[in-house]
DNA sequence: TATTGTTATACTCTATAACTATA
DNA sequence: TATAGTTATAGAGTATAACAATA
């Protein structure tokens, strides 16, 4: 059982009181994200995955046949930064890259059996990670948080539902 | 007037529908933070500041005389990563580093006049940045978002108020 | 002309170990 | 011994320009 030290708090000796410390909202996003990211990295390490390789693998497993550009769009990252991720997953035999016969520039990304199995196992660990990070929020609070984050990301467009 | 393209949305042609795309919660934090961070970087560029140099400068201006280790704690970053930030602010004449006579290992960080003035001007631009990023959230929603982020960061400890 | 994937590159942020000078 | 600041270093993520192959 790996030692997962969630929420590594910095030493409070001589710290500035929260009343005196006033930062802009984005900094609180950064601080929270750093904590989540650190815990997620520890969570994925036993599987040989990082946040981005895990994210890419799950999207490929859920959407077999998609292109790299679509994957980059889904993960909100630039296409050049996708290449190393795909290379790594492919080198480890977790995905296949089939040439799209209709458009020979593009690849159709497919999960391998090993990729699907690793993804399943990692998913269970990530579920526990999410329980650690967000478990104290009830369903309404958690939904409100995700909705607020989505509105920040999209500039509040897209709530037409 | 610099061109501030907030919320650079990725091309939606051939995109995966939101219904099909299911990522873990931390990834939505990352996406939202990236948007905020990109807008903040553009906002601070005219002042020659980045997120961390701006954050450090504001904390020093609000808490003159604090030590580097205290500053690192306030910004939730490691002490070694503080050095380059402090060097940059000092080289530009925005802060002073006075040796603490009581403890000659430590520095007392003080804002210079130029530092306070630059901070004031940057603060106004950051206010507008925050209005762009979070303005569509009402006071309750915004407070709930910050409270949720703080609880995630601290692991829900610290709500003893 | 435009797009897919790619290379090269640079910048930013984060984390750890080990050093120095003080305490 | 422990702490403040430092150096060196490595890893991870992000962004842009430019290219070849293909559409």
């Amino acid at each position: 059982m790996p030692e997962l030290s969630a929420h590594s708090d910095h030493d409070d000796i001589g710290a500035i009181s929260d009343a005196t410390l006033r930062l802009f909202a984005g900094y609180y996003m950064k601080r929270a994200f750093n904590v989540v990211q650190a815990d997620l990295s520890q969570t994925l390490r036993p599987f040989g995955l990082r946040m981005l390789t895990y994210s890419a693998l799950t999207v490929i497993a859920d959407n077999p046949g998609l292109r790299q550009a679509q994957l980059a769009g889904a993960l909100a990252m630039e296409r050049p930064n996708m290449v190393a991720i795909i290379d790594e997953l492919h080198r480890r035999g977790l995905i296949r890259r089939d040439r799209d016969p209709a458009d020979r520039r593009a690849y159709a990304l497919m999960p391998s059996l090993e990729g699907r199995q690793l993804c399943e196992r990692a998913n269970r660990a990530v579920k526990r990670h999410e329980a650690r990070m967000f478990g104290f929020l009830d369903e309404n609070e958690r939904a409100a948080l995700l909705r607020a984050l989505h509105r920040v990301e999209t500039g509040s467009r897209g709530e037409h539902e």
Short mmCIF file of all heavy atoms in Angstrom, two decimals, chain C:
data_model
loop_
_atom_site.label_atom_id
_atom_site.label_comp_id
_atom_site.label_asym_id
_atom_site.label_seq_id
_atom_site.Cartn_x
_atom_site.Cartn_y
_atom_site.Cartn_z
P DT C 1 -3.77 32.15 -52.06
OP1 DT C 1 -4.76 32.48 -53.00
OP2 DT C 1 -2.91 33.17 -51.61
"O5'" DT C 1 -4.36 31.42 -50.83
"C5'" DT C 1 -3.80 30.08 -50.69
"C4'" DT C 1 -4.86 29.31 -49.97
"O4'" DT C 1 -4.88 27.94 -50.43
"C3'" DT C 1 -4.65 29.27 -48.47
"O3'" DT C 1 -5.89 29.35 -47.81
"C2'" DT C 1 -4.00 27.91 -48.25
"C1'" DT C 1 -4.61 27.08 -49.35
N1 DT C 1 -3.68 26.02 -49.87
C2 DT C 1 -4.06 24.71 -49.77
O2 DT C 1 -5.11 24.37 -49.27
N3 DT C 1 -3.16 23.82 -50.27
C4 DT C 1 -1.95 24.09 -50.87
O4 DT C 1 -1.23 23.19 -51.28
C5 DT C 1 -1.61 25.48 -50.94
C7 DT C 1 -0.32 25.90 -51.57
C6 DT C 1 -2.48 26.38 -50.45
P DA C 2 -5.92 29.54 -46.24
OP1 DA C 2 -7.11 30.33 -45.92
OP2 DA C 2 -4.59 29.94 -45.78
"O5'" DA C 2 -6.17 28.04 -45.74
"C5'" DA C 2 -7.34 27.37 -46.17
"C4'" DA C 2 -7.42 25.99 -45.51
"O4'" DA C 2 -6.52 25.09 -46.19
"C3'" DA C 2 -7.03 25.98 -44.03
"O3'" DA C 2 -7.95 25.17 -43.33
"C2'" DA C 2 -5.63 25.39 -44.03
"C1'" DA C 2 -5.68 24.46 -45.24
N9 DA C 2 -4.39 24.25 -45.91
C8 DA C 2 -3.49 25.21 -46.28
N7 DA C 2 -2.41 24.72 -46.87
C5 DA C 2 -2.63 23.36 -46.87
C6 DA C 2 -1.87 22.28 -47.36
N6 DA C 2 -0.70 22.42 -47.95
N1 DA C 2 -2.37 21.03 -47.19
C2 DA C 2 -3.57 20.90 -46.59
N3 DA C 2 -4.37 21.83 -46.11
C4 DA C 2 -3.84 23.06 -46.28
P DT C 3 -7.82 24.95 -41.79
OP1 DT C 3 -9.18 24.95 -41.24
OP2 DT C 3 -6.78 25.86 -41.27
"O5'" DT C 3 -7.26 23.46 -41.71
"C5'" DT C 3 -7.98 22.42 -42.34
"C4'" DT C 3 -7.30 21.10 -42.10
"O4'" DT C 3 -6.07 21.05 -42.88
"C3'" DT C 3 -6.88 20.86 -40.65
"O3'" DT C 3 -7.22 19.54 -40.30
"C2'" DT C 3 -5.37 21.07 -40.66
"C1'" DT C 3 -5.02 20.60 -42.06
N1 DT C 3 -3.77 21.15 -42.63
C2 DT C 3 -2.88 20.29 -43.21
O2 DT C 3 -3.07 19.09 -43.28
N3 DT C 3 -1.75 20.89 -43.71
C4 DT C 3 -1.45 22.23 -43.69
O4 DT C 3 -0.40 22.65 -44.18
C5 DT C 3 -2.41 23.08 -43.06
C7 DT C 3 -2.16 24.55 -42.96
C6 DT C 3 -3.52 22.50 -42.57
P DT C 4 -6.98 18.93 -38.88
OP1 DT C 4 -8.16 18.18 -38.48
OP2 DT C 4 -6.46 20.04 -38.04
"O5'" DT C 4 -5.77 17.92 -39.12
"C5'" DT C 4 -5.98 16.73 -39.87
"C4'" DT C 4 -4.78 15.81 -39.69
"O4'" DT C 4 -3.67 16.41 -40.39
"C3'" DT C 4 -4.34 15.67 -38.23
"O3'" DT C 4 -4.19 14.30 -37.89
"C2'" DT C 4 -3.02 16.43 -38.14
"C1'" DT C 4 -2.53 16.45 -39.58
N1 DT C 4 -1.78 17.69 -39.94
C2 DT C 4 -0.59 17.58 -40.65
O2 DT C 4 -0.11 16.52 -41.01
N3 DT C 4 0.01 18.78 -40.95
C4 DT C 4 -0.43 20.04 -40.60
O4 DT C 4 0.21 21.04 -40.93
C5 DT C 4 -1.67 20.07 -39.85
C7 DT C 4 -2.22 21.41 -39.41
C6 DT C 4 -2.28 18.92 -39.57
P DG C 5 -3.92 13.88 -36.35
OP1 DG C 5 -4.40 12.50 -36.15
OP2 DG C 5 -4.41 14.97 -35.49
"O5'" DG C 5 -2.33 13.87 -36.30
"C5'" DG C 5 -1.63 12.93 -37.13
"C4'" DG C 5 -0.19 13.35 -37.27
"O4'" DG C 5 -0.12 14.70 -37.79
"C3'" DG C 5 0.64 13.35 -35.98
"O3'" DG C 5 1.70 12.42 -36.11
"C2'" DG C 5 1.11 14.80 -35.85
"C1'" DG C 5 1.05 15.29 -37.28
N9 DG C 5 0.97 16.73 -37.40
C8 DG C 5 0.00 17.56 -36.88
N7 DG C 5 0.21 18.82 -37.14
C5 DG C 5 1.39 18.83 -37.88
C6 DG C 5 2.12 19.91 -38.45
O6 DG C 5 1.86 21.11 -38.41
N1 DG C 5 3.27 19.47 -39.12
C2 DG C 5 3.65 18.15 -39.21
N2 DG C 5 4.76 17.92 -39.89
N3 DG C 5 2.98 17.13 -38.69
C4 DG C 5 1.87 17.55 -38.04
P DT C 6 2.77 12.23 -34.91
OP1 DT C 6 3.40 10.88 -35.03
OP2 DT C 6 2.12 12.62 -33.66
"O5'" DT C 6 3.89 13.30 -35.24
"C5'" DT C 6 4.61 13.19 -36.45
"C4'" DT C 6 5.57 14.34 -36.62
"O4'" DT C 6 4.83 15.57 -36.69
"C3'" DT C 6 6.53 14.53 -35.46
"O3'" DT C 6 7.76 13.92 -35.80
"C2'" DT C 6 6.67 16.04 -35.30
"C1'" DT C 6 5.73 16.60 -36.34
N1 DT C 6 4.91 17.76 -35.91
C2 DT C 6 5.31 19.03 -36.23
O2 DT C 6 6.33 19.25 -36.85
N3 DT C 6 4.47 20.03 -35.81
C4 DT C 6 3.29 19.88 -35.11
O4 DT C 6 2.61 20.84 -34.78
C5 DT C 6 2.92 18.52 -34.79
C7 DT C 6 1.65 18.24 -34.03
C6 DT C 6 3.73 17.53 -35.20
P DT C 7 8.92 13.75 -34.72
OP1 DT C 7 9.84 12.73 -35.22
OP2 DT C 7 8.31 13.64 -33.39
"O5'" DT C 7 9.66 15.16 -34.79
"C5'" DT C 7 10.39 15.52 -35.95
"C4'" DT C 7 10.93 16.92 -35.83
"O4'" DT C 7 9.83 17.83 -35.67
"C3'" DT C 7 11.83 17.14 -34.61
"O3'" DT C 7 13.14 17.46 -35.05
"C2'" DT C 7 11.19 18.30 -33.84
"C1'" DT C 7 10.23 18.90 -34.84
N1 DT C 7 9.00 19.47 -34.26
C2 DT C 7 8.75 20.81 -34.39
O2 DT C 7 9.52 21.58 -34.95
N3 DT C 7 7.57 21.24 -33.83
C4 DT C 7 6.63 20.45 -33.17
O4 DT C 7 5.62 20.95 -32.71
C5 DT C 7 6.95 19.06 -33.08
C7 DT C 7 6.00 18.13 -32.39
C6 DT C 7 8.10 18.63 -33.62
P DA C 8 14.37 17.54 -34.05
OP1 DA C 8 15.60 17.21 -34.81
OP2 DA C 8 14.05 16.79 -32.81
"O5'" DA C 8 14.39 19.09 -33.69
"C5'" DA C 8 14.12 20.05 -34.70
"C4'" DA C 8 13.96 21.42 -34.06
"O4'" DA C 8 12.58 21.63 -33.69
"C3'" DA C 8 14.79 21.61 -32.79
"O3'" DA C 8 15.58 22.78 -32.92
"C2'" DA C 8 13.74 21.73 -31.68
"C1'" DA C 8 12.54 22.26 -32.43
N9 DA C 8 11.26 21.95 -31.81
C8 DA C 8 10.83 20.74 -31.35
N7 DA C 8 9.61 20.77 -30.84
C5 DA C 8 9.22 22.09 -30.97
C6 DA C 8 8.04 22.77 -30.62
N6 DA C 8 7.01 22.19 -30.05
N1 DA C 8 7.98 24.10 -30.90
C2 DA C 8 9.03 24.69 -31.48
N3 DA C 8 10.19 24.15 -31.85
C4 DA C 8 10.22 22.83 -31.57
P DT C 9 16.67 23.16 -31.83
OP1 DT C 9 17.75 23.86 -32.53
OP2 DT C 9 16.94 21.97 -31.00
"O5'" DT C 9 15.89 24.22 -30.93
"C5'" DT C 9 15.04 25.18 -31.56
"C4'" DT C 9 14.19 25.88 -30.55
"O4'" DT C 9 12.99 25.11 -30.29
"C3'" DT C 9 14.85 26.07 -29.17
"O3'" DT C 9 15.05 27.45 -28.95
"C2'" DT C 9 13.87 25.46 -28.18
"C1'" DT C 9 12.59 25.41 -28.97
N1 DT C 9 11.62 24.39 -28.51
C2 DT C 9 10.33 24.77 -28.22
O2 DT C 9 9.95 25.92 -28.35
N3 DT C 9 9.51 23.78 -27.80
C4 DT C 9 9.84 22.44 -27.62
O4 DT C 9 9.00 21.64 -27.22
C5 DT C 9 11.20 22.10 -27.93
C7 DT C 9 11.66 20.68 -27.78
C6 DT C 9 12.02 23.07 -28.36
P DA C 10 16.05 27.95 -27.81
OP1 DA C 10 17.03 28.84 -28.44
OP2 DA C 10 16.47 26.80 -26.99
"O5'" DA C 10 15.09 28.85 -26.91
"C5'" DA C 10 13.99 29.52 -27.50
"C4'" DA C 10 12.91 29.72 -26.47
"O4'" DA C 10 12.10 28.52 -26.38
"C3'" DA C 10 13.46 29.97 -25.06
"O3'" DA C 10 12.96 31.21 -24.59
"C2'" DA C 10 12.94 28.80 -24.22
"C1'" DA C 10 11.76 28.31 -25.04
N9 DA C 10 11.46 26.90 -24.85
C8 DA C 10 12.33 25.85 -24.93
N7 DA C 10 11.77 24.68 -24.72
C5 DA C 10 10.45 24.98 -24.47
C6 DA C 10 9.32 24.18 -24.17
N6 DA C 10 9.39 22.86 -24.06
N1 DA C 10 8.14 24.80 -23.98
C2 DA C 10 8.10 26.14 -24.08
N3 DA C 10 9.07 26.99 -24.36
C4 DA C 10 10.24 26.35 -24.55
P DC C 11 13.52 31.92 -23.30
OP1 DC C 11 13.88 33.30 -23.65
OP2 DC C 11 14.49 31.00 -22.66
"O5'" DC C 11 12.23 31.96 -22.36
"C5'" DC C 11 10.94 32.10 -22.95
"C4'" DC C 11 9.88 31.54 -22.03
"O4'" DC C 11 9.77 30.11 -22.21
"C3'" DC C 11 10.18 31.77 -20.54
"O3'" DC C 11 9.12 32.55 -20.00
"C2'" DC C 11 10.23 30.37 -19.94
"C1'" DC C 11 9.46 29.53 -20.96
N1 DC C 11 9.83 28.09 -21.01
C2 DC C 11 8.86 27.11 -20.76
O2 DC C 11 7.70 27.48 -20.52
N3 DC C 11 9.19 25.80 -20.80
C4 DC C 11 10.45 25.45 -21.08
N4 DC C 11 10.73 24.15 -21.11
C5 DC C 11 11.46 26.42 -21.33
C6 DC C 11 11.12 27.72 -21.28
P DT C 12 9.29 33.19 -18.53
OP1 DT C 12 8.61 34.50 -18.57
OP2 DT C 12 10.70 33.10 -18.08
"O5'" DT C 12 8.42 32.21 -17.62
"C5'" DT C 12 7.09 31.91 -18.03
"C4'" DT C 12 6.56 30.77 -17.19
"O4'" DT C 12 7.15 29.53 -17.60
"C3'" DT C 12 6.85 30.92 -15.69
"O3'" DT C 12 5.61 31.09 -15.03
"C2'" DT C 12 7.54 29.60 -15.32
"C1'" DT C 12 7.22 28.69 -16.49
N1 DT C 12 8.20 27.62 -16.80
C2 DT C 12 7.81 26.29 -16.73
O2 DT C 12 6.68 25.96 -16.42
N3 DT C 12 8.78 25.38 -17.04
C4 DT C 12 10.09 25.66 -17.41
O4 DT C 12 10.86 24.75 -17.66
C5 DT C 12 10.42 27.05 -17.45
C7 DT C 12 11.81 27.45 -17.84
C6 DT C 12 9.48 27.96 -17.16
P DC C 13 5.56 31.40 -13.49
OP1 DC C 13 4.29 32.12 -13.27
OP2 DC C 13 6.85 31.98 -13.09
"O5'" DC C 13 5.44 29.96 -12.81
"C5'" DC C 13 4.40 29.08 -13.23
"C4'" DC C 13 4.64 27.69 -12.68
"O4'" DC C 13 5.75 27.08 -13.36
"C3'" DC C 13 4.98 27.63 -11.18
"O3'" DC C 13 4.00 26.83 -10.54
"C2'" DC C 13 6.38 27.00 -11.15
"C1'" DC C 13 6.39 26.21 -12.45
N1 DC C 13 7.73 25.86 -12.98
C2 DC C 13 8.08 24.52 -13.17
O2 DC C 13 7.26 23.65 -12.89
N3 DC C 13 9.31 24.21 -13.66
C4 DC C 13 10.17 25.18 -13.95
N4 DC C 13 11.36 24.83 -14.43
C5 DC C 13 9.85 26.55 -13.77
C6 DC C 13 8.63 26.86 -13.28
P DT C 14 4.04 26.58 -8.95
OP1 DT C 14 2.65 26.34 -8.53
OP2 DT C 14 4.85 27.64 -8.33
"O5'" DT C 14 4.84 25.21 -8.84
"C5'" DT C 14 4.27 24.02 -9.36
"C4'" DT C 14 5.20 22.85 -9.10
"O4'" DT C 14 6.40 23.02 -9.88
"C3'" DT C 14 5.64 22.71 -7.65
"O3'" DT C 14 5.13 21.51 -7.13
"C2'" DT C 14 7.17 22.71 -7.70
"C1'" DT C 14 7.48 22.47 -9.16
N1 DT C 14 8.71 23.12 -9.66
C2 DT C 14 9.74 22.32 -10.11
O2 DT C 14 9.68 21.11 -10.12
N3 DT C 14 10.84 23.01 -10.57
C4 DT C 14 11.00 24.38 -10.60
O4 DT C 14 12.03 24.89 -11.03
C5 DT C 14 9.89 25.15 -10.10
C7 DT C 14 9.97 26.65 -10.08
C6 DT C 14 8.81 24.49 -9.67
P DA C 15 5.38 21.13 -5.59
OP1 DA C 15 4.28 20.24 -5.20
OP2 DA C 15 5.64 22.37 -4.85
"O5'" DA C 15 6.73 20.27 -5.60
"C5'" DA C 15 6.82 19.15 -6.45
"C4'" DA C 15 8.17 18.48 -6.24
"O4'" DA C 15 9.17 19.19 -6.99
"C3'" DA C 15 8.62 18.47 -4.79
"O3'" DA C 15 8.89 17.13 -4.39
"C2'" DA C 15 9.87 19.34 -4.75
"C1'" DA C 15 10.33 19.35 -6.21
N9 DA C 15 10.95 20.62 -6.60
C8 DA C 15 10.47 21.88 -6.39
N7 DA C 15 11.24 22.83 -6.85
C5 DA C 15 12.31 22.15 -7.40
C6 DA C 15 13.47 22.59 -8.05
N6 DA C 15 13.77 23.87 -8.27
N1 DA C 15 14.34 21.64 -8.48
C2 DA C 15 14.06 20.36 -8.27
N3 DA C 15 13.00 19.82 -7.66
C4 DA C 15 12.15 20.79 -7.26
P DT C 16 9.29 16.78 -2.89
OP1 DT C 16 8.59 15.53 -2.60
OP2 DT C 16 9.11 17.97 -2.03
"O5'" DT C 16 10.86 16.48 -2.92
"C5'" DT C 16 11.39 15.67 -3.95
"C4'" DT C 16 12.89 15.74 -3.94
"O4'" DT C 16 13.29 16.96 -4.58
"C3'" DT C 16 13.51 15.76 -2.55
"O3'" DT C 16 14.26 14.58 -2.36
"C2'" DT C 16 14.40 17.01 -2.53
"C1'" DT C 16 14.48 17.42 -3.98
N1 DT C 16 14.54 18.87 -4.23
C2 DT C 16 15.57 19.37 -4.98
O2 DT C 16 16.44 18.67 -5.46
N3 DT C 16 15.54 20.73 -5.16
C4 DT C 16 14.60 21.62 -4.66
O4 DT C 16 14.69 22.81 -4.89
C5 DT C 16 13.55 21.02 -3.86
C7 DT C 16 12.48 21.90 -3.26
C6 DT C 16 13.57 19.70 -3.69
P DA C 17 15.07 14.34 -0.95
OP1 DA C 17 14.97 12.90 -0.67
OP2 DA C 17 14.63 15.33 0.05
"O5'" DA C 17 16.59 14.68 -1.32
"C5'" DA C 17 17.12 14.27 -2.57
"C4'" DA C 17 18.53 14.78 -2.74
"O4'" DA C 17 18.50 16.16 -3.18
"C3'" DA C 17 19.35 14.76 -1.45
"O3'" DA C 17 20.68 14.38 -1.75
"C2'" DA C 17 19.27 16.21 -0.96
"C1'" DA C 17 19.22 16.98 -2.27
N9 DA C 17 18.53 18.27 -2.19
C8 DA C 17 17.35 18.54 -1.55
N7 DA C 17 16.97 19.78 -1.65
C5 DA C 17 17.97 20.38 -2.42
C6 DA C 17 18.16 21.69 -2.88
N6 DA C 17 17.30 22.69 -2.63
N1 DA C 17 19.25 21.95 -3.62
C2 DA C 17 20.11 20.94 -3.86
N3 DA C 17 20.04 19.67 -3.49
C4 DA C 17 18.93 19.45 -2.75
P DA C 18 21.77 14.20 -0.56
OP1 DA C 18 22.64 13.08 -0.95
OP2 DA C 18 21.06 14.20 0.73
"O5'" DA C 18 22.62 15.55 -0.65
"C5'" DA C 18 23.16 15.95 -1.90
"C4'" DA C 18 23.80 17.31 -1.76
"O4'" DA C 18 22.76 18.32 -1.71
"C3'" DA C 18 24.62 17.49 -0.48
"O3'" DA C 18 25.83 18.16 -0.78
"C2'" DA C 18 23.72 18.34 0.40
"C1'" DA C 18 23.04 19.20 -0.65
N9 DA C 18 21.79 19.82 -0.23
C8 DA C 18 20.77 19.24 0.48
N7 DA C 18 19.77 20.05 0.73
C5 DA C 18 20.15 21.25 0.14
C6 DA C 18 19.54 22.50 0.05
N6 DA C 18 18.34 22.78 0.57
N1 DA C 18 20.20 23.48 -0.60
C2 DA C 18 21.40 23.20 -1.13
N3 DA C 18 22.09 22.06 -1.10
C4 DA C 18 21.40 21.11 -0.45
P DC C 19 27.08 18.09 0.19
OP1 DC C 19 28.21 17.52 -0.57
OP2 DC C 19 26.64 17.46 1.45
"O5'" DC C 19 27.37 19.62 0.47
"C5'" DC C 19 27.84 20.44 -0.59
"C4'" DC C 19 27.42 21.87 -0.37
"O4'" DC C 19 26.00 21.93 -0.17
"C3'" DC C 19 28.01 22.53 0.86
"O3'" DC C 19 29.22 23.22 0.53
"C2'" DC C 19 26.91 23.51 1.33
"C1'" DC C 19 25.70 23.16 0.46
N1 DC C 19 24.43 23.02 1.24
C2 DC C 19 23.60 24.14 1.40
O2 DC C 19 23.95 25.22 0.91
N3 DC C 19 22.44 24.02 2.09
C4 DC C 19 22.10 22.83 2.59
N4 DC C 19 20.95 22.75 3.26
C5 DC C 19 22.93 21.68 2.44
C6 DC C 19 24.07 21.81 1.77
P DT C 20 29.94 24.18 1.60
OP1 DT C 20 31.23 24.58 1.03
OP2 DT C 20 29.86 23.57 2.95
"O5'" DT C 20 28.96 25.42 1.57
"C5'" DT C 20 29.43 26.71 1.15
"C4'" DT C 20 28.90 27.74 2.10
"O4'" DT C 20 27.49 27.48 2.26
"C3'" DT C 20 29.49 27.62 3.50
"O3'" DT C 20 30.57 28.55 3.72
"C2'" DT C 20 28.31 27.86 4.44
"C1'" DT C 20 27.08 27.88 3.55
N1 DT C 20 25.97 26.97 4.02
C2 DT C 20 24.75 27.50 4.29
O2 DT C 20 24.50 28.67 4.16
N3 DT C 20 23.81 26.61 4.72
C4 DT C 20 23.99 25.24 4.91
O4 DT C 20 23.08 24.54 5.31
C5 DT C 20 25.31 24.77 4.61
C7 DT C 20 25.59 23.32 4.80
C6 DT C 20 26.23 25.64 4.19
P DA C 21 30.42 30.17 3.50
OP1 DA C 21 29.66 30.50 2.28
OP2 DA C 21 31.74 30.81 3.73
"O5'" DA C 21 29.51 30.56 4.74
"C5'" DA C 21 28.86 31.84 4.72
"C4'" DA C 21 27.94 31.96 5.91
"O4'" DA C 21 27.02 30.85 5.90
"C3'" DA C 21 28.65 31.87 7.26
"O3'" DA C 21 28.99 33.18 7.78
"C2'" DA C 21 27.67 31.09 8.15
"C1'" DA C 21 26.56 30.64 7.22
N9 DA C 21 26.23 29.22 7.37
C8 DA C 21 27.08 28.15 7.24
N7 DA C 21 26.50 26.98 7.43
C5 DA C 21 25.18 27.31 7.72
C6 DA C 21 24.07 26.52 8.04
N6 DA C 21 24.09 25.19 8.11
N1 DA C 21 22.89 27.15 8.28
C2 DA C 21 22.86 28.48 8.21
N3 DA C 21 23.85 29.33 7.92
C4 DA C 21 25.00 28.68 7.69
P DT C 22 27.85 34.15 8.27
OP1 DT C 22 26.60 33.88 7.58
OP2 DT C 22 28.44 35.46 8.26
"O5'" DT C 22 27.56 33.77 9.77
"C5'" DT C 22 26.50 34.41 10.40
"C4'" DT C 22 25.29 33.51 10.60
"O4'" DT C 22 25.54 32.14 10.28
"C3'" DT C 22 24.82 33.45 12.05
"O3'" DT C 22 23.85 34.42 12.26
"C2'" DT C 22 24.30 32.05 12.25
"C1'" DT C 22 24.56 31.37 10.91
N1 DT C 22 24.96 29.95 11.03
C2 DT C 22 24.06 28.99 11.43
O2 DT C 22 22.91 29.24 11.73
N3 DT C 22 24.55 27.71 11.46
C4 DT C 22 25.81 27.30 11.15
O4 DT C 22 26.13 26.12 11.22
C5 DT C 22 26.71 28.34 10.74
C7 DT C 22 28.10 28.02 10.36
C6 DT C 22 26.26 29.61 10.70
P DA C 23 23.66 34.93 13.79
OP1 DA C 23 22.75 36.07 13.74
OP2 DA C 23 25.00 35.05 14.37
"O5'" DA C 23 22.92 33.71 14.48
"C5'" DA C 23 21.57 33.49 14.17
"C4'" DA C 23 21.09 32.21 14.80
"O4'" DA C 23 21.91 31.12 14.34
"C3'" DA C 23 21.20 32.17 16.31
"O3'" DA C 23 19.93 32.45 16.87
"C2'" DA C 23 21.67 30.74 16.63
"C1'" DA C 23 21.80 30.09 15.27
N9 DA C 23 22.97 29.23 15.09
C8 DA C 23 24.24 29.61 14.80
N7 DA C 23 25.08 28.61 14.66
C5 DA C 23 24.31 27.50 14.87
C6 DA C 23 24.59 26.11 14.87
N6 DA C 23 25.82 25.63 14.63
N1 DA C 23 23.59 25.26 15.13
C2 DA C 23 22.36 25.77 15.37
N3 DA C 23 21.96 27.03 15.40
C4 DA C 23 23.00 27.85 15.13
#
